[in-house]
Amino acid sequence: MIQEILDYRPVIAVFISMIAAGVILLRGNRISANRREAITFGAAVIKAVCIFSMVPQVLAGNEFDIILFEIAGGISLELKVDGAGMVFGCVASGLWILTSVYSIGYMRGHKEKNQTGYFAAFAMCLSGAIGICFAANLLTFFIFYEILTVATYPLVVHYRDKKGKLSGRKYLIYTLSSGQLFLAGIVFLYVSCGTLDFQPGGFVEHSLSKGMTALAFFLVIVGGVVKAGVMPLHSWLPAAMVAPTPVSALLHAVAVVKAGAFCVIRIVGYTFGPEICRWSEATDVLAWIAVCTILLSSLIAMQKDNLKARLAYSTVGQLSYIVLGVCILTPASMAGAMYHIVAHAFMKITLFMCAGAIFVTTHKAEISDMRGIGRRMPLTMAAFTVASIGIAGMPFMVGFVSKMSIIEGAAEIGQPFFIVTLMASALLSLTYLVPVCYIAFTKRNVNPDFLNDPAGPVLEGEANKAMLIPLLLTACISILLGIMPNAGPHLLQLAEMAAQSIFQGGGM
């Protein structure tokens, strides 16, 4: 029996960073850099404390539920904290603390302009992300989903140059257009079902025909697959790499693409449910699209010399692991998909933080220019190596845990091609990431910038501590969660509990 608890911690967790964004914007240039960054960091800590403090009660099978206000009869803006939302919420809030510290080091180290707008938009994005985690129904989910979309735009166009504006325009075209289809699907579901409240196992019943059910599914799922970068709706994601590296980390690890993947989980597991998805065969189509995305994105990543572009296409493929895991429709694969949100977040944010540290310290963005960079930045490149083998799903790394659960689900339904795809993707990941590590530590044809030549240019060693410490921490956590998946807030247990509730059609 689920016990619903009235508590204001979910409200604080959602809106504290929105308040911080408002204070930063209102004060503008009148606020000192130190105070602005203190507000950012303080809001991040308060948000994380609120979220992590709710973990024990959610693990005990309870849920936090609060109605903010009623919009119309049966439709309300409502927050509910359950197992699935807690998995995403813990990751997003925890990584925001580290990303805030990293952002301070990056923005100062690179002497970036427009820092007031940057930190305000960054905080707003996290309000949107946590609102998505704790949305109790589709309408609340949609509102915060669009808040995240709009708040991310200033970050994508941060440099205000032509390339940035074009990328920002593409980002808005993709995300806002899919958002309108999402809204149309929400209206259709409300008219058809009379409710929008998320329920484990779904609230859509057999009252619709098979064709109409599939249509409704694809209307609402498109909002998720666009943000998750599923091909062919992915091109906004590599284009958005023109933004500062902390924004790339936000896009790929903390908020935006994870919000898209989480949307797929909410639509399949809590809106339509496994039974309706099997009957309508809608998830079968999406699963094969995810398979194609996994393989094609890996092949494209191999051809990219720009490090951030290579990592961007890696993200496109890795997020489709989550989509595939959800669409396999077994408790193991669903739990694996949820835990891959955790795994990919820590590994990919490490890779992007390393890329940013390299750029700020050495001004190198192309992989071919990084030969021997491990001589100057051994800790950074060691962290990059750890995250690279984690992305490939090597044992004792967090990626191994999530991917094995998805493979277990594929075996349960007798889909050997899904298993082959995941194994091939692991090998392809090694193919496009390990060469970066080899180039970094090679002793042959070393870039003169990294030689100990007194007559040559003098480059600094490691990045400043505000950048170095977060990336080392995320690399270490990637190992820790691979060895002890339930270390800390028991995220694997939360994922397994949420997955079981979906397939039991009831409580946690």
Side-chain angles (χ1 to χ4, degrees), residues 362 364 376 447-460:
T362 69
K364 306 297 183 187
R376 291 298 180 100
N447 187 322
D449 290 347
F450 306 126
L451 292 172
N452 296 318
D453 182 3
V458 179
L459 293 178
E460 298 178 17

Side-chain angles (χ1 to χ4, degrees), residues 199-204 268-275 501-503 505-506:
Q199 297 175 20
F203 61 79
V204 176
V268 173
Y270 294 83
T271 302
F272 286 84
E275 182 183 343
S501 75
I502 290 170
F503 288 89

Side-chain angles (χ1 to χ4, degrees), residues 126-455:
L126 265 295
S127 267
I130 301 303
I132 288 166
C133 296
F134 298 155
N137 55 56
L138 272 171
L139 184 62
T140 306
F141 189 100
F142 175 78
I143 290 170
F144 284 109
Y145 208 64
E146 294 305 287
I147 287 173
L148 178 61
T149 297
V150 174
T152 307
Y153 174 75
L155 298 173
V156 175
V157 299
H158 176 79
Y159 291 118
R160 311 294 195 266
D161 56 6
K162 184 177 180 181
K163 192 173 181 180
K165 290 177 181 177
L166 286 173
S167 297
R169 192 176 305 153
K170 176 181 280 191
Y171 166 76
L172 285 182
I173 289 171
Y174 273 79
T175 54
L176 291 180
S177 299
S178 63
Q180 298 311 301
L181 294 175
F182 191 6
L183 180 59
I186 290 171
V187 172
F188 181 84
L189 286 174
Y190 182 71
V191 171
S192 303
C193 304
T195 183
L196 296 174
D197 293 340
F198 291 132
Q199 297 175 20
F203 61 79
V204 176
E205 299 177 350
H206 288 279
S207 55
L208 296 172
S209 68
K210 193 172 183 178
M212 294 304 290
T213 300
L215 174 63
F217 179 85
F218 283 107
L219 280 174
V220 291
I221 206 70
V222 71
V225 298
V226 166
K227 274 198 172 75
V230 176
M231 290 182 170
L233 304 173
H234 70 289
S235 64
W236 68 269
L237 189 53
M241 291 304 97
V242 298
T245 302
V247 177
S248 303
L250 173 79
L251 287 169
H252 289 261
V254 183
V256 180
V257 295
K258 293 301 188 300
F262 189 70
C263 179
V264 175
I265 291 171
R266 283 300 196 201
I267 296 302
V268 173
Y270 294 83
T271 302
F272 286 84
E275 182 183 343
I276 294 294
C277 286
R278 289 193 191 98
W279 170 70
S280 67
E281 299 178 352
T283 46
D284 294 346
V285 177
L286 188 55
W288 286 105
I289 294 173
V291 165
C292 294
T293 301
I294 290 169
L295 296 174
L296 290 174
S297 61
S298 298
L299 294 172
I300 295 171
M302 292 168 61
Q303 302 171 21
K304 298 296 179 182
D305 188 44
N306 182 277
L307 182 55
K308 283 177 65 176
R310 184 171 294 194
L311 296 179
Y313 278 99
S314 170
T315 296
V316 171
Q318 291 291 316
L319 265 293
S320 281
Y321 273 67
I322 300 173
V323 176
L324 178 59
V326 172
C327 293
I328 288 173
L329 297 177
T330 69
S333 67
M334 186 70 73
M338 291 185 195
Y339 197 67
H340 199 61
I341 289 178
V342 180
H344 182 260
F346 281 101
M347 296 182 297
K348 190 51 63 74
I349 202 169
T350 302
L351 294 174
F352 271 106
M353 284 179 173
C354 289
I358 291 168
F359 182 70
V360 168
T361 308
T362 69
H363 305 292
K364 306 297 183 187
E366 307 301 315
I367 297 167
S368 55
D369 293 333
M370 297 179 187
R371 297 189 69 87
I373 195 173
R375 291 167 171 253
R376 291 298 180 100
M377 305 180 73
L379 293 177
T380 299
M381 294 314 302
F384 189 95
T385 303
V386 166
S388 295
I389 62 175
I391 287 287
M394 292 294 105
F396 305 111
M397 298 296 298
V398 63
F400 177 78
V401 179
S402 57
K403 292 179 183 182
M404 284 305 297
S405 295
I406 297 172
I407 288 173
E408 180 185 340
E412 284 181 30
I413 64 169
Q415 271 291 1
F417 191 77
F418 290 172
I419 299 173
V420 171
T421 297
L422 295 171
M423 294 176 68
S425 173
L427 294 174
L428 289 170
S429 298
L430 290 173
T431 304
Y432 63 71
L433 287 175
V434 171
V436 181
C437 309
Y438 173 79
I439 286 171
F441 291 106
T442 187
K443 295 182 180 179
R444 296 182 179 181
N445 302 318
V446 175
N447 187 322
D449 290 347
F450 306 126
L451 292 172
N452 296 318
D453 182 3

